[in-house]
Amino acid sequence: MDQPIGVIDSGVGGLTVASELIRQLPKEQLIYLGDTLRCPYGPRPKQEVVEYTWEMVDFLLNKNIKMLVVACNTATAYTLDELRANLSIPVIGVIQPGARAAIKMTNNRRIGVIGTEGTINSKAYPLALQSINSNIVVNDLACPKLAPMVEEGNLTGSEAYDIVYQSLKPLKDKNHIDTLILGCTHYPLVKDLIQEVIGKHVHVISSGEETAREISTILSFNKKLYNGTRIPKHQFFTTGRLHVFESIANKWLQQPLGFVKNINLSEKSFNK
């Protein structure tokens, strides 16, 4: 089916999921929308996150997408059930795939989760993990400084390391986890720093690979995979600073973006 897959995120973090989608489903076209102007979503009230998420969804629905990927943990926690109940297309979040990947990796059944305040307060990960295995011990920690750091393009160097170290110190000092879920799609952009701080003995889990695998399965089951020969032309939209978005996206995707545009979601004038 020659329709694009829509991917939404509060900023650039969802590019980690988009990158994995491009790798696993090279024939599919993506339309990515990052609400970088209003990022991060984590500290925002639930109703505000719901409102912003629906604005992004409405924009992508006007692009005739065949599937919606909510590549933001906070938006997934707050809106996934509502989106699935109201949309006629498949809707995929990143929490369940991340939880399944972590359970596959853990040996001592002690799993850490780091995320935004919204994601951690929602308890979405403990619920997802313990619904699969009630013996899992979950240690979750809000890291409010990490997503803004990534949005600014601060991905390496001593300043970034110090922020990661101070953010993870309570988790590192407190418990003997053997697996850590990056419960925000921004965090894989600094995965190497996180691994260095938390220790090589800890499996660090990004949900992108597992999410892409689930998307492939669902599209195949619904007979919506594209099987033609055209070369995919991805589209990228951002509500914030274009040059910052392009810089991070080019670095992460390791290929030219092609079509990239700044938009204003509050205008409600979405052109097809």
Side-chain angles (χ1 to χ4, degrees), residues 189-203:
L189 291 162
V190 287
K191 183 178 179 180
D192 289 347
L193 290 179
I194 291 171
Q195 186 76 73
E196 184 178 352
V197 169
I198 204 67
K200 293 181 179 179
H201 64 286
V202 177
H203 301 292

Side-chain angles (χ1 to χ4, degrees), residues 90-272:
V91 182
I92 303 298
V94 289
I95 290 175
Q96 283 287 346
R100 283 193 290 271
I103 286 177
K104 288 178 186 177
M105 295 302 297
T106 185
N107 292 312
N108 68 3
R109 294 179 296 189
R110 290 182 175 272
I111 297 176
V113 181
I114 55 173
T116 65
E117 300 102 309
T119 299
I120 298 304
N121 291 338
S122 75
K123 295 298 176 183
Y125 272 102
L127 289 170
L129 289 161
Q130 291 168 348
S131 70
I132 300 171
N133 185 340
S134 59
N135 293 318
I136 294 291
V137 176
V138 183
N139 298 281
D140 51 9
L141 175 68
C143 299
K145 293 183 178 180
L146 294 189
M149 179 185 81
V150 171
E151 285 291 327
E152 290 295 323
N154 187 8
L155 308 179
T156 59
S158 59
E159 182 183 355
Y161 177 87
D162 288 344
I163 292 173
V164 172
Y165 181 86
Q166 291 301 324
S167 295
L168 268 60
K169 193 173 185 301
L171 189 63
K172 182 178 173 67
D173 291 347
K174 184 180 177 182
N175 295 289
H176 301 290
I177 62 170
D178 75 344
T179 304
L180 177 66
I181 298 175
L182 305 184
C184 174
T185 49
H186 286 74
Y187 299 173
L189 291 162
V190 287
K191 183 178 179 180
D192 289 347
L193 290 179
I194 291 171
Q195 186 76 73
E196 184 178 352
V197 169
I198 204 67
K200 293 181 179 179
H201 64 286
V202 177
H203 301 292
V204 177
I205 301 296
S206 170
S207 60
E209 183 176 344
E210 198 77 14
T211 301
R213 189 176 295 117
E214 185 166 317
I215 289 165
S216 178
T217 300
I218 291 172
L219 288 177
S220 178
F221 178 80
N222 288 287
K223 297 183 174 13
K224 289 189 174 185
L225 283 172
Y226 176 74
N227 295 311
T229 58
R230 61 107 174 91
I231 298 173
K233 295 181 179 179
H234 309 302
Q235 298 179 47
F236 297 87
F237 297 89
T238 177
T239 60
R241 291 176 293 173
L242 197 61
H243 71 282
V244 175
F245 180 87
E246 285 186 289
S247 174
I248 296 172
N250 283 326
K251 185 180 301 183
W252 187 252
L253 298 177
Q254 296 183 336
Q255 65 181 58
L257 289 188
F259 181 95
V260 57
K261 183 179 180 181
N262 181 274
I263 61 166
N264 183 350
L265 286 174
S266 64
E267 289 181 347
K268 302 292 186 182
S269 57
F270 307 144
N271 297 317
K272 293 187 180 181

Side-chain angles (χ1 to χ4, degrees), residues 66-82:
K66 63 183 175 183
M67 171 181 273
L68 175 66
V69 182
V70 186
C72 170
N73 285 266
T74 304
T76 297
Y78 287 163
T79 71
L80 188 64
D81 290 342
E82 181 179 330

